[in-house]
Amino acid sequence: MLVLGLETSCDETGVALYDSERGLLADALFSQIDLHRAYGGVVPELASRDHVKRMLPLIRQVLDDAGCVATEIDAIAYTAGPGLVGALLVGASCAQALAFAWGVPALGVHHMEGHLLAPMLEKTPPQFPFVALLVSGGHTQLVQVDGIGQYTLLGESLDDAAGEAFDKTAKMMGLNYPGGPEIARLAERGVAGRYTFPRPMCDRPGLMFSFSGLKTSALNTWQHCVSAGDDSEKARCDIALAFQQAVVETLTIKCKRALKQAGMKRLVIAGGVSANKALRASLEKMLGDMKGDVFYARPEFCTDNGAMIAYAGCQRLQAGQHESLAISVQARWPMEQLPPL
Ligand SMILES: Nc1ncnc2c1ncn2[C@@H]1O[C@H](COP(=O)(O)OP(=O)(O)OP(=O)(O)O)[C@@H](O)[C@H]1O
Ligand SMILES: [Mg+2]
């Protein structure tokens, strides 16, 4: 089954062609980062308008790259939520219009299920069951995954998502959006031990997260540096390293707890923050010590992309799931509401 996948939940227009027999044939992405940078974050209305401009050229490009023609497409998968409603509606209406024109089924895919399954596109995909850490711009969740659509939420953030905390911490130090890769870059030159930030909610049992206090600690430290006349690159690097270490250690502690609670030794990490090298190294060490395995997607498939939507959609479409021509998207959508395959 050849599936066209469309992703428009936030500030990336992603398009891909995934074939159930041949795997990923082509994928293309247009990132709106430059468009939103001046505002320090995503402007929803600008995001929606830009998706409209990019969608059809990207679909043509992906068909060309794959050497396919539109009549070969068997089904269309698009992101139906969670995300920015205006942005989601662009992908949904485009998918439904093309599905109607081409006489093929369409299916709305859950964006976080897309992230969760992205590591399945790699050479050594994880086997079910596993524990998944979803760490993105809008989510920090620990999920027990017994199969596609069999999700049990084990824990999540009470306030900021991990990626959001990276972005906000970067912004207050005057760094560019998105802040995660900027903080990671500066952290490489930071001196360890100059600053230490809290590991939130690690001193009590449970699998919930909270990153807003950590972000405030970094803000206070930065403001202290500035008022002492030290708003230097070095101060930024040292704060970036201390912040990253606190996030990484907190996530590692909670993943270890979640694996123990679920009685599992397989961990999948997904979402934009899973591209972070320090996080990968820390989790690999932890899983290595317990003789387990950690799985993640190639860096470009950690952040938003069309390939993960085409893949997730293909699994469900092959199982016979599809929907009517109604155009319906959801800003909020708990993953546990998804039907199993
Ligand atoms: N190397 C990195 N280290 C830390 N954070 C990173 C890195 N690369 C990307 N990020 C963060 O990942 C986030 C973007 O990831 P993603 O595209 O998965 O999120 P999103 O789609 O905005 O949110 P959601 O998927 O929850 O709707 C941003 O917050 C970004 O700063
Ligand atoms: Mg995302």
Side-chain angles (χ1 to χ4, degrees):
M1 175 182 269
L2 181 62
V3 176
L4 175 69
L6 309 180
E7 157 62 39
T8 64
S9 69
C10 192
D11 59 344
E12 263 113 14
T13 319
V15 176
L17 270 174
Y18 180 83
D19 184 84
S20 52
E21 303 299 315
R22 293 173 289 167
L24 185 66
L25 301 186
D27 78 287
L29 187 87
F30 183 84
S31 170
Q32 302 175 356
I33 283 175
D34 290 341
L35 181 67
H36 300 289
R37 188 166 276 146
Y39 307 93
V42 178
V43 183
E45 178 61 22
L46 294 183
S48 313
R49 291 185 204 181
D50 204 62
H51 287 308
V52 174
K53 272 198 249 167
R54 309 291 168 191
M55 184 53 84
L56 292 181
L58 281 177
I59 293 174
R60 287 195 193 100
Q61 181 188 329
V62 159
L63 281 167
D64 280 353
D65 290 350
C68 292
V69 289
T71 47
E72 290 173 77
I73 292 172
D74 296 308
I76 304 177
Y78 63 94
T79 306
L84 303 170
V85 166
L88 290 166
L89 281 170
V90 177
S93 36
C94 185
Q96 291 288 17
L98 290 177
F100 178 68
W102 294 339
V104 297
L107 180 70
V109 170
H110 193 291
H111 181 75
M112 297 313 293
E113 179 171 79
H115 276 303
L116 172 69
L117 297 178
M120 298 288 182
L121 291 162
E122 301 305 322
K123 271 201 197 90
T124 331
Q127 304 285 307
F128 297 109
F130 53 77
V131 168
L133 172 70
L134 301 177
V135 266
S136 57
H139 294 79
T140 302
Q141 293 185 327
L142 275 163
V143 184
Q144 180 172 327
V145 180
D146 291 303
I148 293 179
Q150 295 172 261
Y151 307 129
T152 311
L153 185 66
L154 303 175
E156 64 183 333
S157 179
L158 298 170
D159 41 55
D160 292 348
E164 192 181 357
F166 268 99
D167 293 339
K168 289 179 176 170
T169 301
K171 191 176 178 180
M172 65 149 197
M173 292 198 288
L175 304 175
N176 272 335
Y177 174 83
E182 292 290 304
I183 296 250
R185 191 173 55 79
L186 292 191
E188 284 178 17
R189 287 182 282 131
V191 173
R194 181 168 168 207
Y195 302 112
T196 308
F197 296 137
R199 276 59 176 152
M201 301 187 72
C202 290
D203 56 352
R204 65 191 91 164
L207 296 170
M208 301 304 275
F209 301 91
S210 166
F211 290 109
S212 76
L214 172 56
K215 177 193 71 193
T216 307
S217 296
L219 172 64
N220 291 342
T221 304
W222 172 244
Q223 283 175 341
H224 190 262
C225 289
V226 173
S227 53
D230 181 19
D231 57 343
S232 62
E233 181 81 347
K234 172 154 180 26
R236 283 191 182 86
C237 291
D238 294 345
I239 292 174
L241 177 61
F243 174 83
Q244 181 175 272
Q245 282 177 331
V247 174
V248 165
E249 197 179 316
T250 303
L251 293 174
T252 305
I253 290 169
K254 297 285 163 116
C255 283
K256 191 172 179 181
R257 266 187 215 170
L259 288 163
K260 205 170 163 198
Q261 183 177 313
M264 292 182 190
K265 290 187 175 187
R266 233 177 340 244
L267 180 73
V268 165
I269 53 170
V273 182
S274 71
N276 187 278
K277 287 184 194 151
L279 177 64
R280 291 178 173 199
S282 171
L283 293 173
E284 264 165 13
K285 161 101 183 50
M286 187 261 286
L287 266 300
D289 289 348
M290 61 191 278
K291 309 238 173 314
D293 296 298
V294 58
F295 300 84
Y296 39 76
R298 69 196 85 164
E300 63 268 33
F301 290 169
C302 290
T303 43
D304 293 351
N305 64 86
M308 67 186 194
I309 302 303
Y311 175 83
C314 184
Q315 306 314 305
R316 290 187 172 276
L317 285 154
Q318 271 192 304
Q321 296 182 11
H322 59 89
E323 53 193 35
S324 69
L325 283 175
I327 292 171
S328 149
V329 298
Q330 301 188 60
R332 290 174 185 277
W333 187 4
M335 214 166 57
E336 285 174 301
Q337 287 179 359
L338 290 176
L341 272 198

